[in-house]
Structure formats: structure tokens, C-alpha cells
Amino acid sequence: MPVTTIADRPVHVDEEGFLTEYDEWGDELADTLAAQIGVPLTDEHRALLQFLREDVRLSLVTIPEALAVRQLDDALDELRRHGLEVRRLIVNNVVQVTDSPFLVRKAAQQRPHLAELHEPHGDVSIVEIPLFPEEVRGVERLRTVGRLLGPGAP
């Protein structure tokens, strides 16, 4: 990783100049970066920065298929590296009703991917949203999904 100097101290950045080490961020660094682009930081700016760094919790959405599961670990690692906590993983289109040969095969195909999602992500709440026979559109269907997501959804 490249290292640059900002506010008289070394800071790790990527090839595009973005910070890569969450713990290197601080008020002095924020002031210096803001001054470089001509933006004085107000108390409102600081409150927003604090909110984003301390209070924002994310939910990621995926599907129980091989490629999506493989990409999820990289996404979680990248978010955590930047100090962003993923609170919940929402798995869409999970086959729960197997009333046709196609759905039996699809459910069998999903099982190992669902197991793979549950194993290494024990610290993240996982919510499985079933495969619905219709597209989720309209208030009633959205309410159904909201109930599945739990209290305080989304």
C-alpha cells in the first residue's frame, strides 16, 4: 500500500489516494483534507462525520448462489476495513416451497450456499426472504417483506 503524508504524519492510501486504514482518521486529518479543497469544517460537518463513523450500520443483500456468496466475503472485508459495520445479511429468493421438480432442484442447489452464508458470518444477523410467486411490488407485498425483516425494518 502506498503511504503519503497528510497533516505531518504518514497515511496509508490506495492507488487512487483513498485512505485504507480506518484508525488513521482523525479530526486533524479531516481539517487538513477539508482545507485542501477549500471547505471549512463546521460543527454540523463534524457531527455528520461522527454519525457516519459511529452510528451507521449496514444491511447487505445477496442471493443463495455461488458467485454471490463468493463476492460477499470481499465486500464484508472491505466495509469492515473502513470501519463500517454490517449488522444484517438479507438473503433474497430462498426457495421454501418445493411443490414442483424445478423448485426441489433449486432448493437443493441453494442449501450448500445457505449453509456457507450462515457458518462464517455468525456475528451478522441473517434473514432469509423466500422466493415469492410474484414480484415484490405494492404496499402489501412490501409490508410482508417488512414483517420478515423484523421489528424496526429496514
Side-chain angles (χ1 to χ4, degrees):
M1 272 305 145
V3 177
T4 190
T5 301
I6 303 174
D8 298 321
R9 63 187 178 104
V11 177
H12 293 83
V13 296
D14 64 16
E15 296 75 27
E16 297 178 70
F18 291 102
L19 302 176
T20 60
E21 300 296 326
Y22 175 76
D23 294 332
E24 292 178 351
W25 179 264
D27 288 338
E28 185 181 356
L29 184 63
D31 289 332
T32 301
L33 292 172
Q36 287 178 358
I37 61 169
V39 176
L41 288 182
T42 65
D43 288 343
E44 287 179 350
H45 289 120
R46 291 183 194 287
L48 179 59
L49 288 170
Q50 181 177 349
F51 169 75
L52 291 172
R53 295 183 63 78
E54 296 177 12
D55 297 330
V56 170
R57 302 296 176 260
L58 303 173
S59 294
L60 286 184
V61 180
T62 191
I63 55 175
E65 294 184 6
L67 180 60
V69 171
R70 301 292 174 283
Q71 292 174 331
L72 183 67
D73 285 331
D74 290 340
L76 286 168
D77 288 345
E78 184 72 14
L79 290 166
R80 286 179 180 140
R81 195 165 58 87
H82 292 286
L84 296 170
E85 179 184 334
V86 175
R87 177 179 44 175
R88 179 173 50 187
L89 178 62
I90 300 167
V91 186
N92 277 340
N93 296 329
V94 176
V95 175
Q96 294 178 343
V97 176
T98 54
D99 57 2
S100 74
F102 169 77
L103 291 175
V104 168
R105 283 193 309 271
K106 190 70 173 169
Q109 194 177 50
Q110 289 181 348
R111 264 197 264 350
H113 302 302
L114 288 166
E116 199 173 338
L117 287 169
H118 282 276
E119 281 179 28
H121 307 295
D123 58 331
V124 175
S125 168
I126 298 177
V127 179
E128 295 181 11
I129 303 296
L131 175 67
F132 292 106
E134 299 92 18
E135 197 175 346
V136 178
R137 293 178 65 177
V139 173
E140 280 311 307
R141 290 189 186 143
L142 288 171
R143 283 190 179 126
T144 298
V145 172
R147 283 190 293 277
L148 293 169
L149 290 173

